[in-house]
Amino acid sequence: MELFAEMLSIVGALVFSVSCGVLVEELLFGGLVRLFLARRPATGGSTERKEGMEGERPCLR
């Protein structure tokens, strides 16, 4: 019975340490990936065509 309790505590410690590692990894790297892949707000000019300019080509700058 003592061997069973010792094995159970070893398995519990291993599962606990692995779950803590996965949690920290998700918080760090999951947050970094979400930060890097977040949509950036639109900057400056719009590329939409305006009414009445169907025949004209847009000016590229």
Side-chain angles (χ1 to χ4, degrees), residues 3-58:
L3 181 64
F4 176 72
E6 188 174 336
M7 291 299 291
L8 190 61
S9 66
I10 291 172
V11 170
L14 287 173
V15 168
F16 181 71
S17 65
V18 168
S19 64
C20 286
V22 169
L23 176 65
V24 169
E25 185 265 336
E26 284 296 321
L27 290 175
L28 290 177
F29 295 111
L32 289 176
V33 168
R34 186 172 42 236
L35 178 67
F36 287 133
L37 296 180
R39 287 184 168 250
R40 294 188 176 103
T43 57
S46 174
T47 58
E48 296 177 8
R49 300 193 77 174
K50 304 203 182 322
E51 287 185 33
M53 299 180 68
E54 288 86 12
E56 297 180 21
R57 298 182 68 185

